[in-house]
């Protein structure tokens, strides 16, 4: 029996594409589908540049927001099928599948609401006109206009829905046509979404195109006013940074790469208190959710020496108790890694880390499938590799430290820039000292404490209203963050001229609110993914 084939959607139509790559169910190692190996990027770029872009730029923010709402309706209608596919073929537990698909939907909802609130504008004005000379008629104004090109989105395998939708929401709302390229593993979810968008007639203008397969050899079709939003490994990011399209042709590049996120337990936290419970609960979830294949997952767990043996034994017992297996079976809490390549990379990384650490959790064996048991390691804070090597699976290392905030800050910084750091403490002076010394080393600083332990969104969740992206190793990029996100697909132009003429010229500029608050859904992967609380 022939396998289903995932189509590209270019210029509003499905196409088979060149070459074939077989996709594998990571739980059973059975072939499930084929996708094309080489993407039709040139054709997609030409359509976006010449046809879809000019039409999209003519729309107001509210009209673009209507496009996002139409996408949401399709996803909501086919949610069960998408969740089922994500579990059956993608190695996700149902909770992991919801985290991805509902998180993407919630982010679309956030930007649809933002677009509606921007109304009939199609540019963003940063401020009222500024008087620039003695004569009050000579003024200037900063205005953000959509890039006159295409947004190529290169996504990682771990969030095939959310990664795709959050990037698309922002570019489409800005007025820039999107070409989205999923990573091959897990691309079945992206493929089904696009099949349904197509059946619903939402792809006909070609402003939202899907290409499967490698784009590596075709990036020179991009130029000034085009952008690449990349999510993936530092290794690929560094290839892109050196690419001629970026270095010489003026293509804008945003990188969301890997990260050795730290979580720090404060010295004030008591063994049996609420803050300790929140810390242990969150660490177990961050190690195991999506089998640890999450850019925001904790990799380094900093624990004061006095609490270390208690923390290690509590975490190891909780991780060893979790049922690991095919997520379509009842009671499974942790699924497989996404691919054979991913399993090889995690196994090699784990072996390397074990040269400098001891394992606290039990070994398990699996007959087939790309499974790795949740693994807790324990190492000296002075070891090297734990601060350098990202093992993108259910693996994290406990590192002892004195409890001193300065020492914790030094250890955080050894990760060379992270997406997020989390601290758990009820001592505001201690957190203040840590924040003062380490805050510039990550894109997000999360403070868990007794007062919020019941209500807080989990630390690994990325919010549409807040920045995602971190310095250094994490890529130096920035995504999301409310209205600021739109500017990543726009050009800032300082417009100067006579006040009445500027008023006429910029009649379609809407004054941007400084920070747009969350909509009711919040664009929050966590709130939308918990059982019974989908957006
Ligand atoms: P990857 O190997 O770098 O691949 C990412 C994407 O880049 C895929 O779509 C891949 O396509 C494409 N790609 C590979 N080589 C390319 C090239 N030479 N030119 C252009 N595109 C190329 O990363 P991954 O293994 O999929 O993802 C895991 C990594 O992503 C982890 O390190 C994780 O930390 C990071 N990540 C970061 C974030 C974040 O927000 N910061 C989020 C999720 C994941 P093919 O599949 O066709 O090769």
């Amino acid at each position: 029996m022939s396998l289903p084939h995932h189509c590209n959607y270019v210029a509003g139509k499905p196409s088979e594409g060149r070459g074939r790559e077989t996709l594998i169910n990571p739980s059973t190692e059975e072939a499930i589908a084929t996708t094309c190996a080489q993407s039709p990027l040139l054709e997609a770029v030409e359509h976006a540049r010449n046809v879809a872009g000019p039409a999209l730029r003519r729309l107001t923010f509210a009209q673009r927001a209507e496009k996002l709402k139409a996408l949401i309706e399709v996803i909501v209608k086919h949610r069960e099928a998408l969740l089922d596919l994500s579990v059956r073929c993608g190695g996700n537990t149902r909770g992991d599948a919801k985290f991805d698909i509902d998180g993407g939907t919630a982010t679309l909802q956030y930007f649809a609401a933002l677009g509606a609130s921007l109304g009939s504008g199609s540019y963003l004005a940063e401020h009222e006109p500024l008087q620039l000379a003695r004569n009050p008629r000579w003024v200037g104004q900063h205005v953000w206009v959509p890039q006159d090109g295409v947004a190529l989105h290169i996504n990682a395998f771990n969030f095939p829905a959310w990664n795709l939708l959050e990037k698309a929401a922002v570019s489409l709302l800005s007025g820039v046509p999107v070409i989205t390229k999923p990573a091959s593993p897990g691309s079945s979810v992206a493929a089904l979404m696009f099949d349904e968008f197509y059946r619903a007639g939402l792809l006909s203008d070609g402003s939202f195109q899907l290409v499967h397969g490698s784009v590596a050899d075709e990036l020179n079709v991009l130029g000034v006013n085009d952008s690449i939003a990349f999510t993936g490994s530092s290794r690929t990011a560094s290839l892109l940074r050196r690419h001629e399209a970026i270095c010489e042709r003026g293509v804008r590049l945003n990188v969301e790469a890997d990260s050795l996120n730290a979580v720090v337990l404060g010295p004030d936290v008591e063994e049996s208190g609420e803050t300790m419970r929140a810390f242990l609960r969150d660490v177990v979830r961050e190690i195991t959710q999506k089998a640890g294949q999450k850019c925001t997952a904790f990799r380094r767990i900093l624990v004061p020496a006095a609490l270390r043996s208690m923390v290690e034994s509590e975490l190891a017992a909780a991780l060893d108790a979790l049922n690991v297996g095919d997520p379509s079976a009842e009671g499974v809490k942790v699924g497989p890694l996404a691919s054979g390549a991913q399993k090889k990379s995690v196994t090699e990384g784990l072996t390397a880390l074990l040269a400098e650490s001891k394992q606290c959790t039990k070994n398990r064996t699996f007959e087939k499938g790309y499974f790795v048991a949740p693994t807790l390691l324990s190492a000296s804070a002075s070891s090297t590799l734990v601060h350098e090597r990202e093992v993108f699976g259910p693996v994290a290392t406990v590192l002892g430290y004195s409890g001193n905030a300065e020492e914790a800050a030094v250890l955080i910084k050894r990760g060379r820039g992270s997406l997020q750091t989390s601290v758990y403490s009820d001592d505001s002076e201690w957190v203040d000292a840590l924040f003062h010394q380490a805050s510039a080393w990550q894109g997000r600083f999360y403070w868990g404490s007794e007062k919020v332990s019941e209500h807080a969104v989990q630390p690994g969740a990325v919010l549409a209203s807040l920045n995602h992206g971190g310095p250094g190793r994490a890529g130096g990029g920035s995504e999301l963050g409310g209205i600021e996100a739109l500017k990543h697909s726009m050009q800032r132009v300082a417009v100067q001229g006579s006040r009445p003429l500027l008023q006429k010229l910029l009649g379609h500029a809407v004054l941007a609110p400084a920070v747009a608050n969350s909509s009711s859904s919040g664009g929050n992967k966590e709130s939308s993914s918990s059982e019974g609380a989908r957006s």
Side-chain angles (χ1 to χ4, degrees):
M1 201 179 71
S2 70
L3 295 170
H5 179 68
H6 297 332
C7 294
N8 300 305
Y9 284 97
V10 172
K13 294 187 294 289
S15 68
E16 292 252 318
R18 282 173 286 150
R20 285 287 181 278
E21 189 180 334
T22 303
L23 302 177
I24 305 291
N25 178 331
S27 300
T28 63
E29 297 187 44
E30 288 161 2
I32 44 175
T34 59
T35 184
C36 70
Q38 191 60 44
S39 91
L41 190 62
L42 175 61
E43 196 189 335
V45 168
E46 281 182 349
H47 182 82
R49 213 175 256 156
N50 301 325
V51 183
L56 191 62
R57 286 195 295 278
R58 275 194 294 274
L59 300 183
T60 65
F61 285 117
Q63 287 167 328
R64 294 175 204 150
E66 288 302 316
K67 284 181 167 288
L68 303 188
K69 285 186 196 156
L71 298 175
I72 296 166
E73 273 175 32
V74 171
I75 298 170
V76 168
K77 185 169 167 198
H78 297 283
R79 176 175 180 267
E80 281 306 318
L82 287 164
L83 290 176
D84 182 48
L85 184 69
S86 179
V87 172
R88 203 162 32 81
C89 301
N92 292 295
T93 63
R94 193 170 160 85
D96 291 346
K98 287 178 173 182
F99 193 64
D100 182 28
I101 290 159
D102 293 349
T105 316
T107 306
L108 272 177
Q109 283 169 332
Y110 175 91
F111 285 102
L114 177 61
S117 76
L118 295 174
S120 60
S122 46
Y123 313 136
L124 290 177
E126 242 178 47
H127 48 76
E128 298 289 354
L130 304 169
Q131 185 177 329
L132 299 174
R134 282 222 181 112
N135 187 327
R137 289 173 77 82
W138 181 246
V139 296
Q141 195 172 9
H142 284 109
V143 177
W144 291 85
V145 301
Q147 282 197 291
D148 182 6
V150 306
L152 173 63
H153 297 165
I154 303 178
N155 298 323
F157 66 81
N158 56 338
F159 284 105
W162 184 82
N163 200 205
L164 183 157
L165 294 171
E166 58 104 359
K167 286 192 175 107
V170 169
S171 297
L172 290 172
L173 187 58
S174 307
V176 181
V178 168
I179 301 169
T180 191
K181 180 242 167 307
S184 296
S187 59
S188 298
V189 168
L192 177 58
M193 253 184 330
F194 266 74
D195 290 344
E196 298 304 344
F197 292 155
Y198 177 69
R199 282 186 199 113
L202 304 185
L203 303 180
S204 56
D205 65 358
S207 60
F208 197 12
Q209 304 183 85
L210 170 75
V211 298
H212 291 286
S214 176
V215 292
D217 297 334
E218 299 177 278
L219 296 175
N220 270 334
V221 304
L222 301 176
V224 179
N225 260 297
D226 297 326
S227 62
I228 299 176
F230 168 79
T231 301
S233 61
S234 301
R235 187 178 30 82
T236 310
S238 102
L239 288 177
L240 287 174
R241 282 200 176 95
R242 285 180 272 132
H243 197 284
E244 197 188 323
I246 310 299
C247 301
E248 288 171 30
R249 299 168 69 88
V251 175
R252 206 188 272 186
L253 175 68
N254 188 73
V255 171
E256 298 291 341
D258 53 52
S259 177
L260 289 162
N261 309 298
V263 53
V264 190
L265 186 64
D268 60 295
V269 177
E270 289 170 6
E271 284 194 17
S272 55
E274 189 50 43
T275 307
M276 177 64 86
R277 271 194 291 281
F279 165 80
L280 294 172
R281 174 197 68 204
D282 289 352
V283 171
V284 170
R285 181 169 41 198
E286 293 305 322
I287 294 176
T288 56
Q289 189 171 45
K290 296 223 92 226
Q293 300 166 111
K294 228 171 48 174
C295 54
T296 51
F298 298 151
R299 305 291 174 201
R300 301 177 293 155
I301 308 167
L302 275 52
V303 180
L307 293 166
R308 182 174 183 166
S309 98
M310 172 258 160
V311 164
E312 283 178 357
S313 61
E314 289 281 331
L315 289 176
L319 294 170
D320 281 337
L322 293 172
N323 194 353
V324 182
D326 184 337
S328 51
E330 193 73 22
V332 166
K333 299 288 182 212
V334 185
L337 300 173
S339 66
Q342 185 54 23
K343 174 157 181 179
K344 181 168 178 286
S345 156
V346 168
T347 311
E348 285 172 0
L350 191 47
T351 306
L353 290 187
L354 275 167
E356 291 186 345
S357 60
K358 73 175 173 59
Q359 186 170 329
C360 308
T361 41
K362 293 182 187 140
N363 278 324
R364 304 193 211 187
T365 52
F366 303 93
E367 278 176 18
K368 63 176 175 220
Y370 306 136
F371 295 98
V372 169
T375 307
L376 186 73
L377 304 176
S378 174
S380 157
S382 63
S383 56
T384 307
L385 223 47
V386 69
H387 302 290
E388 291 180 357
R389 182 150 182 173
E390 183 202 44
V391 179
F392 202 58
V395 179
T397 306
V398 174
L399 303 167
Y401 80 109
S402 63
N404 178 287
E406 192 169 346
E407 187 188 339
V410 169
L411 292 171
I412 289 168
K413 293 178 193 180
R414 288 190 64 190
R416 293 188 293 114
S418 312
L419 292 171
Q420 65 112 347
T421 293
S422 297
V423 301
Y424 289 76
S425 170
D426 297 297
D427 179 347
S428 56
E429 277 181 32
W430 182 85
V431 175
D432 185 64
L434 183 65
F435 183 79
H436 184 68
Q437 291 173 71
S439 52
W441 289 73
Q442 57 273 306
R444 192 155 56 82
F445 186 88
Y446 179 101
W447 182 359
S449 66
E450 185 176 3
K451 290 207 171 71
V452 292
S453 78
E454 287 297 303
H455 321 287
V457 171
Q458 72 168 90
V462 171
L463 305 175
S465 52
L466 294 181
N467 174 60
H468 175 60
R473 176 186 185 127
S478 174
E479 283 184 343
L480 302 172
I483 196 142
E484 286 301 309
L486 270 56
K487 297 176 182 172
H488 299 136
S489 295
M490 301 180 104
Q491 175 62 40
R492 189 183 195 214
V493 185
V495 189
Q496 290 164 274
S498 122
R499 187 183 292 269
L501 291 180
L502 239 64
Q503 271 163 357
K504 219 166 160 192
L505 179 71
L506 301 179
H508 289 294
V510 54
L511 200 59
V515 178
N517 200 0
S518 303
S519 63
S520 53
S521 68
N524 155 13
K525 285 204 280 182
E526 169 61 6
S527 68
S528 60
S529 64
S530 46
E531 288 285 338
R534 68 173 288 275
S535 49

